[in-house]
Amino acid sequence: MEVTATISRKKQVIRKAAELFREKGYAAASMRDLAQKLGIEAASLYSHIKSKEEILRTLCFDMAAEFRASLNAVEKMKASASEKLRSGIEGHVRVMARDLTASAVFMNEHRHLSQPYLRDFLLLRINYINRFKKIIEEGVQSGEFKKDIDTKLSVMTLFSSLNWMPLWYSPENSIAPEALGKQLADMLINGLKKN
């Protein structure tokens, strides 16, 4: 029972920290700010979490694990490159929409990770992007996508479109994440397909 309560409190701390990092930026946010947001003494925070950076690491690597898990399922599909790319885009949008606050921290604040965590994080990100690039390359090789497309430009355009989402998307004032993923996939995949 005590362990459950501790885990739950740790999650609350991380949740509030994500909000704080999104509002003020990681560098400007202090543990004192976080304690104030939680309504507790600053010293009490350290019974749940070791440091501000531990929170950032948890947020960044947990999000990275969710993105990878989504793409793992896509890569196991027996489907065309178009279908895989569509599922990959929709999965990416679903992961981001599930927690826009953590997504914003993941996208904008990871640069504050210290080494070797920053290096490990960037390697995960490169690997994830390259896996999407490989799907596009499969589409070019199979003849689904245009032969003369620059696959690096294509994949970077894709992520430039997807990763701005935490800045403008709100499920309350916009379309549902499923419909958003479908629309984005339509726009991006149609630009790659042969006429």
Side-chain angles (χ1 to χ4, degrees):
M1 185 72 181
E2 191 176 319
V3 171
T4 304
T6 302
I7 291 170
S8 174
R9 190 60 171 160
K10 185 173 181 176
K11 283 184 178 175
Q12 288 172 14
V13 169
I14 291 170
R15 178 79 251 149
K16 288 291 179 191
E19 292 171 12
L20 184 66
F21 296 166
R22 188 179 190 185
E23 289 163 17
K24 297 183 77 168
Y26 175 80
S30 70
M31 290 297 266
R32 186 178 302 275
D33 294 332
L34 179 56
Q36 198 169 25
K37 202 169 179 62
L38 286 158
I40 61 175
E41 294 293 323
S44 306
L45 274 176
Y46 295 98
S47 59
H48 305 290
I49 209 89
K50 289 179 188 160
S51 66
K52 190 170 83 165
E53 186 172 357
E54 183 190 348
I55 298 171
L56 183 62
R57 276 200 312 267
T58 301
L59 284 165
C60 289
F61 284 92
D62 283 359
M63 285 297 297
E66 286 190 52
F67 284 121
R68 286 198 321 272
S70 172
L71 191 54
N72 288 344
V74 169
E75 289 172 331
K76 289 176 186 167
M77 291 170 57
K78 295 197 182 309
S80 68
S82 299
E83 289 165 336
K84 283 183 182 176
L85 189 56
R86 172 177 299 285
S87 296
I89 291 169
E90 290 174 352
H92 189 89
V93 168
R94 267 195 309 277
V95 170
M96 291 187 87
R98 204 163 31 235
D99 192 341
L100 289 168
T101 301
S103 295
V105 172
F106 175 87
M107 294 298 165
N108 303 319
E109 305 300 330
H110 68 268
R111 66 186 186 280
H112 296 290
L113 290 168
S114 64
Q115 296 293 355
Y117 305 106
L118 179 59
R119 182 203 62 212
D120 294 346
F121 177 84
L122 293 175
L123 287 173
L124 287 173
R125 191 169 74 173
I126 290 167
N127 175 269
Y128 182 72
I129 290 170
N130 281 339
R131 289 162 68 188
F132 271 88
K133 185 169 171 265
K134 188 176 170 197
I135 294 172
I136 295 172
E137 288 167 349
E138 284 172 13
V140 171
Q141 285 168 7
S142 70
E144 284 178 77
F145 299 153
K146 295 169 190 163
K147 197 163 52 172
D148 59 346
I149 59 168
D150 183 320
T151 54
K152 183 177 179 185
L153 174 65
S154 301
V155 80
M156 297 318 289
T157 300
L158 186 146
F159 280 101
S160 294
S161 301
L162 297 177
N163 291 343
W164 280 95
M165 202 177 133
L167 293 179
W168 61 265
Y169 179 70
S170 168
E172 290 83 28
N173 303 321
S174 191
I175 59 177
E178 295 75 22
L180 175 65
K182 185 178 179 326
Q183 283 192 32
L184 282 170
D186 284 343
M187 285 188 277
L188 295 165
I189 293 171
N190 287 340
L192 297 173
K193 278 186 171 175
K194 284 183 172 176
N195 292 328

